[in-house]
Amino acid sequence: MRVSSIKYQVSSIYRRKTLVLVIFVAIGIIALQIPINVLAGAKVKFTLFDLFAPISGMFLGSAIGAVAVVAMQIVNLIVHGFREVQTDSFIKLLATLRFLPLVLGVLYFSVGKSYSSSERSESRSSRNSSRPFGTTQGKQARTIAKAVLLVPLLSILAFNVHPIGRTVWYYSLFWLIPLAVWPIRSRFLLARALGSTFTAHAVGGAVWIWAFNLPAAVWVSLIPIVALERSIFALGIAASYILVNNLIAILSTKNLLFKSVKVDRRYVVKLLH
């Protein structure tokens, strides 16, 4: 009887986790169909997916979130064809597939998850009761955090090593934003969103200049556009997070989700508390 009960509980956990994944995939595929901008130098489009993808790691976990984002992109490419993907060279393929910026944006947003003070206290208690696991998990998180913070720095370096890039070096100053907002990302959702979108932008920009050799004048003209565009993206990412956070809160109140799917109570509508 006890064995069957355990099997049922395990099955229930998997069903509920699968439900969260299905929700994200469904929203992601819909978001991929709604274009909002076109990348300079190619026919590749930004879509609402760019506002939704970064938050996936917060609810699914960094690794699963990143894999889910790539999987959704692949499904979308299979359905709509690869006409926007350029295969002239590996660097153009990397640039137009856009997997790397999305994945790193997910990692930035999800590293060091942000919860309310009561949830942090609960998390600390849990770590104290299981010290070895908590310590290992903490080390892994710190390692990932250091790697994520290296991304904008390496992007700045890659951009400025390019002959055109070094003539418009000030364009790459945008990519210091993820570093600047890092200390406050846990307290301010918008800071986390800004860091995420500019991390993705840093990787994309560094790859893009090597792939397409856009002239300096184009990069200069993009500066005000990027400032506005990424501000809107950050607001969109924050809004997506709040929306999904509340959706998961609703499902949790209906006992449809496993408790390991965390909800940030700071961004839950009061009626759902």
Side-chain angles (χ1 to χ4, degrees):
M1 187 70 178
R2 186 176 295 176
V3 173
S4 62
S5 176
I6 292 172
K7 285 183 177 179
Y8 174 78
Q9 289 176 4
V10 171
S11 175
S12 178
I13 290 169
Y14 278 114
R15 282 201 305 271
R16 291 173 182 181
K17 285 189 174 182
T18 301
L19 176 60
V20 177
L21 184 58
V22 168
I23 290 170
F24 269 88
V25 170
I27 296 174
I29 290 174
I30 293 170
L32 274 163
Q33 314 313 312
I34 307 172
I36 55 177
N37 201 359
V38 179
L39 279 165
K43 297 179 181 179
V44 180
K45 298 181 181 69
F46 285 123
T47 67
L48 281 182
F49 184 70
D50 292 274
L51 312 184
F52 170 75
I55 72 170
S56 60
M58 288 291 279
F59 301 104
L60 299 174
S62 300
I64 297 176
V67 170
V69 164
V70 171
M72 283 183 270
Q73 280 280 60
I74 291 172
V75 169
N76 187 63
L77 287 170
I78 291 171
V79 171
H80 293 283
F82 290 76
R83 60 183 178 277
E84 295 179 352
V85 177
Q86 298 187 26
T87 57
D88 305 13
S89 64
F90 174 75
I91 194 72
K92 285 188 178 181
L93 177 65
L94 187 65
T96 52
L97 280 176
R98 296 184 56 240
F99 290 164
L100 200 55
L102 286 170
V103 167
L104 290 166
V106 169
L107 291 178
Y108 185 100
F109 198 87
S110 61
V111 169
K113 293 181 180 181
S114 169
Y115 300 120
S116 65
S117 57
S118 62
E119 287 169 317
R120 286 195 296 270
S121 176
E122 182 182 329
S123 177
R124 282 194 295 270
S125 299
S126 175
R127 285 199 299 270
N128 290 336
S129 64
S130 181
R131 190 73 180 177
F133 176 76
T135 303
T136 303
Q137 197 175 45
K139 286 180 179 177
Q140 289 175 344
R142 285 192 293 273
T143 301
I144 295 172
K146 289 176 182 177
V148 168
L149 285 175
L150 276 175
V151 170
L153 292 175
L154 292 174
S155 298
I156 291 171
L157 179 63
F159 186 87
N160 284 282
V161 166
H162 191 281
I164 296 173
R166 70 171 65 106
T167 66
V168 284
W169 58 269
Y170 41 88
Y171 181 89
S172 64
L173 293 178
F174 276 125
W175 307 335
L176 292 175
I177 291 174
L179 302 174
V181 301
W182 182 263
I184 60 172
R185 76 197 188 287
S186 294
R187 288 189 293 152
F188 301 103
L189 177 59
L190 193 56
R192 185 179 288 268
L194 271 171
S196 174
T197 192
F198 273 106
T199 296
H201 184 262
V203 179
V207 173
W208 210 258
I209 195 168
W210 285 95
F212 297 104
N213 296 302
L214 297 179
V218 173
W219 293 101
V220 173
S221 69
L222 285 173
I223 290 174
I225 296 171
V226 168
L228 178 61
E229 172 192 87
R230 291 292 151 173
S231 297
I232 293 171
F233 273 32
L235 289 171
I237 291 168
S240 296
Y241 178 76
I242 292 170
L243 177 64
V244 174
N245 193 62
N246 278 274
L247 176 59
I248 289 177
I250 292 170
L251 293 174
S252 296
T253 59
K254 303 294 184 182
N255 201 32
L256 294 173
L257 295 180
F258 189 57
K259 288 183 179 179
S260 65
V261 182
K262 290 287 186 181
V263 172
D264 192 334
R265 295 293 171 187
R266 294 175 301 172
Y267 304 108
V268 174
V269 176
K270 288 184 179 180
L271 293 174
L272 300 177
H273 277 287

